[in-house]
């Protein structure tokens, strides 16, 4: 099956929601790690994808939660998973970046990948 471009409405909705991705990753790093230092970088790739990288110095792993329906918290990385075309965590000495890649033109059945990598 060949993916098709999403409708203009789907693209507009996805584009409107993309600002939630860096906020969700940064909130996860601040709220769920012991890191006292966090930084964020946002870069537009040549193919129009947007790469976001939030670096913290904690060894606490970033993973999506499955919150209770009535919980006010715990959905940040679920938002990242839903809106990014690819995301993961790269562990190395001194911390880890959590890095979603966002593609405003991705189709609903995009090839998503989540991974934790150690260097």
């Amino acid at each position: 099956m060949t993916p098709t471009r999403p409708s203009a409405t789907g693209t507009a909705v996805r584009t409107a929601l993309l600002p939630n991705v860096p906020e969700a990753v940064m909130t996860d790093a601040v709220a769920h790690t012991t890191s006292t230092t966090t930084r964020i970088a946002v870069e537009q790739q040549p193919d129009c994808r947007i790469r976001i990288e939030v670096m913290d110095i904690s060894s606490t792993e970033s993973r999506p939660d499955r919150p209770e329906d009535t919980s006010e918290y715990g959905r940040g990385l679920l938002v990242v998973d839903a809106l990014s075309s690819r995301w993961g965590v790269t562990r190395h000495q001194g911390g880890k970046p959590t890095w979603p890649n966002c593609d405003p033109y991705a189709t609903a059945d995009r090839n998503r990948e989540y991974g934790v990598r150690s260097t």
Side-chain angles (χ1 to χ4, degrees):
M1 180 173 147
T2 304
T4 59
R5 285 184 75 106
S7 69
T9 302
T11 299
V13 169
R14 178 173 294 284
T15 301
L17 292 174
L18 285 180
N20 293 306
V21 175
E23 178 184 358
V25 179
M26 181 61 88
T27 299
D28 182 72
V30 171
H32 300 291
T33 71
T34 57
S35 183
T36 56
T37 303
T38 306
R39 68 178 167 82
I40 187 168
V42 179
E43 177 182 2
Q44 184 171 354
Q45 303 290 314
D47 62 359
C48 293
R49 282 181 303 120
I50 300 164
R51 181 175 175 94
I52 301 156
E53 188 172 286
V54 174
M55 176 69 177
D56 63 65
I57 57 173
S58 174
S59 61
T60 304
E61 190 169 324
S62 298
R63 288 218 177 261
D65 288 333
R66 298 290 179 214
E68 296 291 325
D69 289 343
T70 57
S71 176
E72 295 182 30
Y73 306 101
R75 292 177 181 80
L77 291 179
L78 294 174
V79 169
V80 171
D81 187 56
L83 295 176
S84 63
S85 52
R86 183 174 184 225
W87 76 281
V89 180
T90 305
R91 286 188 254 173
H92 55 80
Q93 187 175 1
K96 67 180 183 321
T98 302
W99 51 265
N101 289 339
C102 298
D103 181 353
Y105 301 108
T107 60
D109 58 343
R110 66 196 181 276
N111 182 19
R112 291 195 343 225
E113 177 184 330
Y114 165 76
V116 177
R117 295 174 176 80
S118 297
T119 59

